[in-house]
Every structure is written in C-alpha cells, then in structure tokens.
Amino acid sequence: MNTRKRATLYVVAAGLAGSLAVAAPVQAAPIAHPTASTTVQQHTTVHPDGFEPSSVVTRGNCKAWMNTKKIHGHWYAQGLVRSWNGTACSMMLQRKHGGGWERITSYHMVRNAQDHTGYYWDDRGYKARVCLQNLDWNDSSWHCGKGI
C-alpha cells in the first residue's frame, strides 16, 4: 500500500474513532428525573393543537368545545361551535373566578357552519367553559362542558 493511501486510511479511521468516542457518552447519559417544577408543568400541559377534550358538549347535531393557548406566559381559552344537518345551534363562553359562572362572550349562532370566540383570560384562579344550546329543540336550557 502506498504512503498516500495509508495516510488517507489513518485519517478516515481516526475520524470514525473520534465520532464514535463522542457518540458513546451521549447515548450513555442518564435520563433526568422530573423535578417538582417539571412535574407541575406536565400537569398543565394541553394538547399540542390546544383542544381540550373534557370541555366537549354535544346536543343532537350541535357540538361545542374549547381550545386553550398560552400567550406571553398566560393561559387563554377560546370557545368553538359546529352545526350539521341543518341544525341551528348557539354557543357562549363562560368564566368563573371565585363566584359563579358568568357569560364573557356574545352568543355565537350557527346553522350548518362553525364559529369561534376570541381568546379570553383563563389563567391561575380562573376557569372557563363552553355552553351550548340546540335551537331546533324545544329545550331552551344551556348545556355546558367541564370548566378548564
């Protein structure tokens, strides 16, 4: 083997050995255990798309739910409503802070469509929920999802 080929072989071998030596400690690093702060943060994490499954409320061909989003370090909630098969539906977003539930949005009425509210404050000490009414039924009562 000539000197040039041997030198190239040593450089390639040294490069592979160096990359293996660097890779081994990364794979062998211990997995960090959650601290108290990361555990708390894990419990407040929502779905990546913001959808809150426990907020869903359905009345016939009407469905309402909430999305949540963290904006500038604070949580906000949004109400959404969807109607199908010609059904008329109405949705509102309510919020609770210490006392009872209060409506914080206008009524969003749809027929074979969907609509949503803006995002409303839903940070520490507050809960928001979406409420739904099927306008085609002779039931004028509101049905609300779980407060988040």
Side-chain angles (χ1 to χ4, degrees):
M1 186 182 282
N2 71 29
T3 311
R4 185 176 210 168
K5 286 183 180 176
R6 207 174 314 150
T8 304
L9 183 60
Y10 288 133
V11 169
V12 170
L16 287 174
S19 65
L20 290 176
V22 171
V26 173
Q27 292 172 350
I31 297 171
H33 294 285
T35 62
S37 62
T38 58
T39 302
V40 169
Q41 194 166 10
Q42 288 172 352
H43 290 293
T44 59
T45 301
V46 296
H47 291 244
D49 59 359
F51 171 64
E52 293 289 347
S54 61
S55 70
V56 175
V57 59
T58 304
R59 301 290 293 159
N61 295 325
C62 300
K63 184 176 186 176
W65 66 96
M66 280 189 347
N67 287 340
T68 55
K69 178 192 266 188
K70 202 166 197 178
I71 304 170
H72 303 296
H74 299 284
W75 286 103
Y76 291 81
Q78 172 191 51
L80 298 95
V81 62
R82 181 172 173 255
S83 159
W84 60 95
N85 290 336
T87 305
C89 311
S90 185
M91 177 269 298
M92 68 170 157
L93 193 62
Q94 292 184 336
R95 184 171 55 202
K96 181 179 184 177
H97 179 66
W101 291 100
E102 295 180 21
R103 181 172 59 91
I104 58 173
T105 64
S106 60
Y107 299 106
H108 291 255
M109 290 178 249
V110 295
R111 182 183 299 273
N112 278 345
Q114 56 188 23
D115 195 11
H116 59 85
T117 69
Y119 279 92
Y120 289 81
W121 184 267
D122 189 31
D123 211 66
R124 184 173 294 154
Y126 288 79
K127 284 193 176 210
R129 71 180 183 180
V130 68
C131 297
L132 178 67
Q133 189 178 46
N134 184 324
L135 299 172
D136 289 348
W137 291 359
N138 289 329
D139 176 12
S140 61
S141 62
W142 288 92
H143 300 271
C144 303
K146 180 182 175 188
I148 307 286

